[in-house]
Amino acid sequence: MHNHSIKQVTVVGTGVIGNGWIARFLAQGYDVIATDPAPGAEERVLASVERAWPALEKLGLAAGASKDRLRFEPDLAKAVADADLIQENAPEREELKRRLLAEIDLNAKPDAIIASSTSGLMPSTLQADCARSERIIVAHPFNPVYLIPLVELVGGKRTAPEVLAKAEQFYQSIRMKPLVISAEIEGHVADRLMEAIWREALHLVNDGIATTEEVDAAIIYGPGLRWSLMGPFLTLHLAGGEQGMRHMLEQFGPALKLPWTKLVAPELTEELSNQVIDGCERQTAGHSIAGLEERRDHFLIELQQLLEKYWPGANLNGKL
């Protein structure tokens, strides 16, 4: 079901995230214009869509979906001129993004929505230099964008509420789970949660307590399985027995003050960097990244099918 007011989408910046958006938009039956000043960008976009397509076919393409509905336009002004929604994916550098969004804003139709895929920057910062700042939002996806449904939507101080509402409808219509975040904060919600675990993981490796492979196993075969269905709150609610979270908080409340975590980031020394890099390279020895991505994609498709089966709120047409 297309969101009728949004027919033409433009993707600005074609790195891993931009290319993921392009594949998703195409699979959902949209006409997509891609733009990126980097040499060789067009070839990389096409190759990336080719790689993602078998997974998207397995997931199910929308009526009229075709790889041929993609056009590459090197000129930014032309690329955004007729778009109803523009998805910006430039590198995470504030000055660069602000300058780019101001330029997109200048050249886009007055009622086009401009969404930034930023993982850390706040929308009030990003919209600061835009003439029509009310239509600038953050729409932050997760890799691989063509398969992972979550997209965090955040408005800045000047964002119009109806723009956020329209964006929410649009992302829902392309089989995503838009999470509208009520207040802006660096890193939004999901990345802050991941960052906390990432810091702790680096300490565990740095202090010689676990290897990268052991840390990964500790998540995969334990909390990761539960979190994929319930998230951290419901997981603990069930761990509290009949009284649920009430019992959990009474029992484990005091432990929150114990030194179980070291959430201040460790110094990224050369030694720690090498341990992490060597660990990851050992874990993937003999496998190409492309092969690992393919395996990941098949897994994510089956996992989402399983999630829909066991969690009623997870069917992709419903609310979060």
Side-chain angles (χ1 to χ4, degrees):
M1 226 293 286
H2 270 194
N3 186 311
H4 292 300
S5 55
I6 293 176
K7 293 187 169 65
Q8 171 69 60
V9 292
T10 292
V11 174
V12 178
T14 58
V16 172
I17 296 295
N19 287 340
W21 276 121
I22 290 167
R24 181 179 280 272
F25 293 144
L26 288 171
Q28 289 301 314
Y30 279 86
D31 288 310
V32 181
I33 292 175
T35 187
D36 192 308
E42 184 171 3
E43 291 71 26
R44 285 196 297 276
V45 170
L46 296 172
S48 174
V49 170
E50 278 305 325
R51 277 200 309 276
W53 209 253
L56 288 162
E57 285 177 324
K58 190 176 172 187
L59 201 56
L61 300 174
S66 163
K67 292 181 283 191
D68 302 334
R69 293 177 71 172
L70 169 64
R71 192 159 68 76
F72 193 89
E73 170 53 75
D75 183 315
L76 178 71
K78 284 186 192 151
V80 302
D82 298 316
D84 302 304
L85 180 126
I86 296 134
Q87 189 78 42
E88 171 274 316
N89 318 276
E92 284 289 287
R93 295 203 300 277
E94 187 187 315
E95 316 70 57
L96 171 69
K97 276 193 183 293
R98 282 174 66 160
R99 198 169 62 240
L100 180 60
L101 287 164
E103 196 181 339
I104 292 169
D105 179 47
L106 200 64
N107 290 287
K109 296 190 300 193
D111 61 343
I113 294 175
I114 302 172
S116 174
S117 297
T118 180
S119 53
L121 298 167
M122 300 202 282
S124 290
T125 308
L126 293 172
Q127 67 190 188
D129 309 326
C130 296
R132 296 180 187 268
S133 49
E134 72 285 346
R135 39 94 160 263
I136 312 286
I137 63 165
V138 162
H140 170 235
F142 295 81
N143 185 44
V145 183
Y146 54 91
L147 292 182
I148 299 272
L150 183 64
V151 57
E152 296 179 314
L153 302 185
V154 200
K157 291 185 183 66
R158 303 188 201 154
T159 304
E162 59 272 21
V163 169
L164 262 183
K166 187 174 162 186
E168 182 182 16
Q169 275 183 329
F170 167 70
Y171 290 107
Q172 222 160 18
S173 77
I174 59 167
R175 294 183 73 180
M176 293 188 92
K177 286 287 184 188
L179 175 63
V180 180
I181 297 170
S182 18
E184 50 183 335
I185 186 171
E186 298 90 341
H188 324 313
V189 172
D191 273 359
R192 292 181 75 96
L193 294 167
M194 290 193 292
E195 171 81 2
I197 289 179
W198 173 232
R199 287 181 182 194
E200 194 59 35
L202 288 176
H203 278 295
L204 292 167
V205 171
N206 199 38
D207 298 344
I209 289 153
T211 63
T212 60
E213 192 163 14
E214 288 163 348
V215 167
D216 283 356
I219 295 286
I220 294 164
Y221 297 109
L225 287 169
R226 301 184 304 190
W227 286 339
S228 60
L229 179 66
M230 297 187 178
F233 283 108
L234 216 49
T235 294
L236 289 177
H237 183 56
L238 261 66
E242 283 303 312
Q243 283 195 296
M245 187 56 86
R246 183 182 301 280
H247 178 70
M248 275 310 284
L249 293 179
E250 284 165 12
Q251 196 181 1
F252 288 106
L256 291 174
K257 291 281 185 272
L258 295 175
W260 280 19
T261 52
K262 296 181 173 184
L263 280 184
V264 178
E267 197 58 50
L268 200 55
T269 60
E270 198 175 344
E271 189 186 4
L272 175 55
S273 293
N274 288 336
Q275 270 183 287
V276 170
I277 294 162
D278 295 346
C280 290
E281 286 176 353
R282 263 199 314 277
Q283 276 174 260
T284 54
H287 297 278
S288 69
I289 291 290
L292 290 167
E293 284 176 344
E294 197 178 332
R295 195 171 71 158
R296 172 202 67 191
D297 288 358
H298 289 306
F299 175 77
L300 286 171
I301 290 168
E302 288 182 40
L303 194 58
Q304 281 186 62
Q305 289 164 346
L306 202 59
L307 190 55
E308 285 188 57
K309 181 176 166 185
Y310 284 98
W311 188 47
N315 84 54
L316 289 171
N317 312 318
K319 293 295 273 182
L320 258 177

